[in-house]
Amino acid sequence: MQLEGKVALVTGGGEGIGRASAILMAKEGAKVAVLGRHRENLDPVVEEIEKGGGQALAVVADISKADDMRRAVEEVVGKWGRLDVVFANAGVNGVWAPIEELEPEEWEQTIAINLTGTFFTVKYAVPHLKKQGGSVIVNSSINGTRIFKNTGASAYASSKAGQVAFTKMLALELGPHGVRINVICPGAIETSIDDNTEQRHVDRVKVEPEYPSEESKYPLTRGPGSAEQVARVVLFLASDAASHLTGTEMWVDGGESLLCST
């Protein structure tokens, strides 16, 4: 029980990596607040955790809204009296399009959710994390950090690169208070994130490397990873096993980005 007695907040906890991480943290003893915009996505996760004997709370909030996130953190702390782990996971792919066609409001929406949403999540959690120390995990991507082949994804990649810089800045700021912050950079993972992606005329600017086969893009796994594989890394970073680790990127991609970065 690596997280016995801990309270964790997982944004974007209703599906994919967030869902897998919330369930795994609960199995390891944490009380888990599962946050998202739609309660119908959160309730099944809470029910699964409770059926397994854990404690969970559904929190409906939009990470891109400061008031929502201030209220959400207060709700979690009001219920359980503390906050120890934050997984800033929620995000969107947004619109992928040539720069001339990417509308200002499309750029702004992606940045607002992925980068500003991470800022709000961490900002309002920090006062509570400082009370006893804790761990923050930010979910970035290999896009914008190690690979840049997905032309048209300029807003998404910029937001993900920004999350890495944000993490490194806060690692030094929060370290003296016993708060660790690290960032994971998943590669191709089998989730539903593509459902919130709009690709528009990216074929006009796409620069795609050639591979002998689809499987050859993933040197270690021979295919996309699973949300559960990423969740195990999140659990490690949340636990005391990672007590000497902060300000660090971890690429969870089976070596995909090493191949694609060449």
Side-chain angles (χ1 to χ4, degrees):
M1 303 292 280
Q2 299 180 60
L3 301 181
E4 184 71 41
K6 306 286 189 182
V7 172
L9 170 64
V10 179
T11 69
E15 55 191 352
I17 293 170
R19 179 182 184 278
S21 298
I23 291 171
L24 183 57
M25 282 195 254
K27 288 180 179 177
E28 290 294 328
K31 300 171 183 176
V32 183
V34 186
L35 184 148
R37 290 184 296 175
H38 306 292
R39 180 169 290 277
E40 60 268 26
N41 293 335
L42 305 177
D43 286 342
V45 182
V46 171
E47 290 172 9
E48 183 169 347
I49 289 172
E50 291 177 339
K51 283 181 181 177
Q55 296 186 54
L57 172 70
V59 180
V60 178
D62 183 337
I63 65 166
S64 69
K65 297 179 179 178
D67 288 343
D68 273 23
M69 291 311 298
R70 183 189 299 110
R71 173 191 54 78
V73 171
E74 289 174 355
E75 182 178 348
V76 176
V77 176
K79 181 175 178 62
W80 287 317
R82 61 188 294 157
L83 183 59
D84 304 277
V85 176
V86 174
F87 182 24
N89 164 72
V92 295
N93 277 352
V95 176
W96 293 15
I99 191 66
E100 300 99 320
E101 297 183 25
L102 186 65
E103 298 297 334
E105 59 270 21
E106 294 168 342
W107 169 277
E108 290 168 359
Q109 182 181 39
T110 301
I111 299 297
I113 294 172
N114 292 353
L115 186 52
T116 306
T118 298
F119 163 67
F120 290 150
T121 300
V122 178
K123 172 182 171 61
Y124 295 114
V126 159
H128 304 284
L129 294 168
K130 282 182 175 181
K131 291 178 181 179
Q132 70 284 312
S135 175
V136 178
I137 304 100
V138 174
N139 192 3
S140 179
S141 172
I142 61 174
N143 289 289
T145 61
R146 197 181 251 176
I147 72 166
F148 299 88
K149 70 181 181 63
N150 289 315
T151 44
S154 54
Y156 178 77
S158 296
S159 71
K160 293 298 164 179
Q163 286 178 312
V164 172
F166 178 74
T167 297
K168 290 178 180 292
M169 290 297 298
L170 288 189
L172 293 180
E173 180 179 338
L174 300 180
H177 302 280
V179 179
R180 299 180 292 105
I181 178 167
N182 294 286
V183 57
I184 60 170
C185 302
I189 305 296
E190 293 178 332
T191 70
S192 61
I193 193 169
D194 287 341
D195 294 345
N196 59 41
T197 307
E198 179 186 341
Q199 295 196 24
R200 196 168 61 234
H201 301 148
V202 294
D203 54 308
R204 298 177 182 175
V205 292
K206 199 160 188 66
V207 180
E208 184 66 53
E210 295 185 4
Y211 306 96
S213 66
E214 181 67 18
E215 291 77 12
S216 67
K217 289 197 294 186
Y218 312 101
L220 176 63
T221 58
R222 301 301 179 189
S226 69
E228 289 72 20
Q229 287 173 311
V230 182
R232 293 187 200 113
V233 179
V234 174
L235 173 63
F236 165 69
L237 292 173
S239 74
D240 290 341
S243 61
H244 199 54
L245 195 64
T246 194
T248 299
E249 308 107 311
M250 298 187 73
W251 283 274
V252 192
D253 66 351
E256 175 190 356
S257 63
L258 293 174
L259 179 65
C260 295
S261 64
T262 57

